[in-house]
Amino acid sequence: MTIKEELVRKQVAECIAANIRIPDYDINSIASDTALKALEEIKAVIFKHDRLSDFDIVDEIVDIFTKYGIDTRGCHDFG
């Protein structure tokens, strides 16, 4: 993807986010389901601890947070 395309995607995403109206979904249920998925992925990473260094474990967990749109403020963003 080119820089121009990345900038346009970012602008479109910001526009949608600013103007979207959230329907009457059960927000708590959606958040809970997503949190459980993320926790299962984090658990799988932790159980690979004998094959990964502590740094790699943290790096993979940060990747999971990023995957689900959870801001990590650039923590260990080396990817």
Side-chain angles (χ1 to χ4, degrees), residues 14-70:
E14 288 174 0
C15 182
I16 290 170
N19 293 295
I20 195 168
R21 181 184 161 144
I22 298 182
D24 294 331
Y25 295 126
D26 183 357
I27 294 173
N28 289 328
S29 176
I30 293 169
S32 180
D33 291 347
T34 303
L36 286 174
K37 288 178 193 174
L39 285 172
E40 285 293 333
E41 291 178 37
I42 290 168
K43 179 181 175 184
V45 168
I46 291 170
F47 282 112
K48 293 192 303 188
H49 75 281
D50 58 333
R51 297 185 311 246
L52 297 175
S53 69
D54 288 347
F55 177 85
D56 289 332
I57 290 172
V58 171
D59 196 43
E60 286 196 26
I61 291 171
V62 169
D63 287 346
I64 293 167
F65 286 160
T66 302
K67 173 182 172 181
Y68 288 101
I70 300 167

